[in-house]
Every structure is written in C-alpha cells, then in structure tokens.
Amino acid sequence: MKDAAPANLGKFEHPDVTADGSTRAKVSLENPQTLWFNTGTLCNIECANCYIESSPSNDRLVYITAAEVEAYLDQLAARNWPVREIGFTGGEPFMNPQMIDMARACLARGYEVLILTNAMRPMMRKTMRTGLEALQREYGDKLTLRISVDHHTATHHDTERGTGTFEKTLEGMRWLRDAGIRMAVAGRTVWGETDAQARAGYAALYAREGFDIDASDPGMTVLFPEMDENVEVPEITTDCWGILNKSPAEVMCASSRMVVKRKGATQPTVLACTLLPYDAQFDMGPTLQDAERDVSLNHPHCAKFCVLGGASCSA
C-alpha cells in the first residue's frame, strides 16, 4: 500500500510512511505479558558493545525506586493487564540499592520476576546475597536471574567485558547454584559459531560447573545477535505481515513495555521497547494507559531483531 510521502523521505524518518511511500507497519499491545523496569544505567563494568551504553558513569537513566515500581503494579491491576512476569534490567540491577525491595514487591503480588545481571560484585554484596536467599526461601522458582555470559569461554567473554570478568561471573553463578536460585543465561552470537556449536559449548560449561541450566532451551540460554543500528535493513510495511507469514502479535512490543526514569525527570515514563531507551519516538508517556497505543515500527531494530529474524520482506 502506498501513501503520500513527504519529498526526499529517507528510511526510518516518518512514523507512518516508509521511504518508498508504503504504509509503515504498526503493532498493537495485543497481550501484555511482561512489564520491564530499567533500574538505572549505572554498571560496575563497561562492555565493548552495550546497546544502552551502561558504565560506571552513565546515569542517563537513574535509579528507579520501590515506591515507583509499586505505583506501576497498582496500574497493572487497575488496567487489568494480564502480565505474568516483571523483568528488571539495567545497567546492573544490583547497583540499585532497592533491588531486593522491588523484586519482593512484585513477587508478593504473584508475579514471576526476572533479573538480568552480570552476577559480579554488586550482586555479591552481603546485603544483596542475604536478600536473594530470603526471596528464594519465600518464592522459590518464581525468581530467575538471567546471567550475562557472552561466550562459554573466558577468551571471548573477557574480550567483551574485560579481563577476569568471566571468572568473576562464574563465582557469582556458583554462589547462586549453591543457594538454589534459578538461573538462565544470555549470550551473544558474534563469535562465528553455529547455534548448535554455541549451545554445545554452553552445555559443556554448565556440566562442568554443575549449573542446572538447559543449553538447548532458547528461553534458558538466550543467544542475542549484535545490535548495530548502522546495519542496512528493510523497512517493515503492512504488506510484510502477509509476505513473511508473520503476525504483529509475535513482535515484542505486542506483549511488553518498559518503565524508565530519566535523569532530571520528576517521574518515570513508559517506553514501547526495551531495546530503544533513548529514542524519543518510543517514549509513550508516564502511565500504562498512555502506553496502550500502537507502536510504529520506525527503527532498524524493529526490522532486524523483532520482525525479520533473518527473513526478507521481498515477495
């Protein structure tokens, strides 16, 4: 379908129209399953490639508080969103001093909780370990920590995260193992391996360390491609759904939103996508009601990661 496009329109420049004048695809919030909270962009390390640019000095997204999280949990109930899971990401979530309180607030209301962490020193502080042990005793496998292990060898992992980080992460994972806390892993697919080779490598690591993590389950060992906004990708039009035999309901923004608090802001705001924390067009407003509107797929990440997955929109 072609619309009247502004003259000399480039790719990903107009929320409703692609560069060739086609109608840009949009996604409705069909079935909200996960509400994410960014706990703040501060991190104890600085990776070579971090989509959110987390570091020991990046505080563009500041610490969210337990009270602010609880306010959004109230909104979930009021809006009747069928959310089953609350996710926490950063930065490094355990840098936030209220991480345990935030997790407890969500678990107490019956939600599953997923915390993304590097399992290093912030998590290993005594107060955090004591808090995690208490949460595990009270809520068991309703709590999962997804550990960033960029590769199953120290050589590649440390290339991304710094010398010695692999062993420090394993130390944290060993503590989680012994504490009986449920773990998953997030890795990267930039090392020239096939999916089968990568999963075999992780399986060997888990077996060696006694980690109860399924390397063959994409939900327990999640392997992410590199996020490069400069990679050439096609725009997603309304015709793509039929060409790809894909439903808009399969795209991440059909089932999730993320709450962040920007430096200097008086209140948090809700984003359409966890992958686009700094793009203003994906800032939906301060309430979950604001966040119920459709999302225009007006970014390369929308195409590369959420729709195409290696497919093509060519007929």
Side-chain angles (χ1 to χ4, degrees):
M1 183 184 298
K2 300 282 186 178
D3 290 339
N8 301 317
L9 186 68
K11 291 176 68 174
F12 302 106
E13 289 187 2
H14 193 284
D16 301 317
V17 182
T18 63
D20 71 354
S22 299
T23 302
R24 186 177 303 285
K26 296 186 178 183
V27 172
S28 300
L29 186 66
E30 296 278 348
N31 184 27
Q33 290 292 300
T34 304
L35 182 63
W36 288 92
F37 290 94
N38 187 290
T39 60
T41 40
L42 287 174
C43 187
N44 56 303
I45 59 174
E46 185 170 2
C47 295
N49 295 288
C50 178
Y51 79 97
I52 203 168
E53 301 170 8
S54 297
S55 75
S57 60
N58 179 11
D59 61 352
R60 291 175 67 181
L61 303 182
V62 297
Y63 290 154
I64 200 163
T65 68
E68 289 165 338
V69 167
E70 293 238 41
Y72 281 97
L73 299 181
D74 291 341
Q75 290 184 49
L76 281 179
R79 304 300 301 170
N80 291 315
W81 284 22
V83 162
R84 63 172 183 81
E85 176 186 63
I86 306 296
F88 292 94
T89 185
E92 168 50 50
F94 289 103
M95 295 279 285
N96 188 314
Q98 297 190 32
M99 184 62 255
I100 299 299
D101 292 336
M102 293 187 290
R104 182 181 297 281
C106 300
L107 290 162
R109 298 201 192 199
Y111 296 108
E112 297 174 23
V113 167
L114 176 65
I115 305 174
L116 311 190
T117 177
N118 57 39
M120 294 173 66
R121 184 174 181 180
M123 187 198 78
M124 291 294 284
R125 287 177 293 165
K126 184 177 180 180
T127 53
M128 294 300 173
R129 286 187 286 122
T130 300
L132 285 171
E133 288 171 330
L135 294 179
Q136 198 283 327
R137 284 195 303 270
E138 295 173 46
Y139 300 103
D141 285 353
K142 297 280 283 186
L143 171 68
T144 301
L145 271 60
R146 182 191 290 167
I147 318 303
S148 296
V149 183
D150 286 330
H151 193 256
H152 47 83
T153 67
T155 300
H156 287 325
H157 178 93
D158 287 4
T159 297
E160 176 64 31
R161 294 182 176 257
T163 302
T165 56
F166 185 74
E167 181 56 33
K168 290 177 182 177
T169 289
L170 286 186
E171 289 174 8
M173 294 179 74
R174 291 169 189 140
W175 179 82
L176 291 167
R177 174 199 64 198
D178 295 344
I181 296 170
R182 189 170 188 258
M183 289 187 287
V185 157
R188 298 185 187 228
T189 61
V190 297
W191 314 110
E193 298 174 318
T194 65
D195 184 80
Q197 289 170 332
R199 294 188 184 281
Y202 281 103
L205 171 65
Y206 303 158
R208 187 167 64 247
E209 294 288 344
F211 296 153
D212 184 16
I213 307 171
D214 188 348
S216 65
D217 182 348
M220 295 303 292
T221 302
V222 189
L223 302 180
F224 292 107
E226 200 65 84
M227 296 176 60
D228 184 352
E229 296 184 16
N230 297 314
V231 172
E232 185 68 19
V233 292
E235 296 181 282
I236 304 301
T237 71
T238 53
D239 292 335
C240 287
W241 304 123
I243 294 169
L244 297 170
N245 192 28
K246 190 178 182 78
S247 167
E250 299 174 47
V251 180
M252 186 165 61
C253 52
S255 61
S256 69
R257 294 289 187 264
M258 182 169 77
V259 179
V260 306
K261 189 171 184 181
R262 302 192 188 284
K263 187 175 184 178
T266 58
Q267 61 183 332
T269 191
V270 187
L271 307 185
C273 179
T274 61
L275 306 181
L276 299 167
Y278 304 129
D279 192 324
Q281 67 181 316
F282 294 94
D283 189 328
M284 307 193 81
T287 71
L288 295 186
Q289 182 175 4
D290 296 327
E292 290 173 351
R293 69 176 187 270
D294 292 353
V295 179
S296 179
L297 301 185
N298 192 31
H299 193 281
H301 287 350
C302 303
K304 181 178 180 182
F305 296 101
C306 295
V307 177
L308 295 179
S312 171
C313 266
S314 57

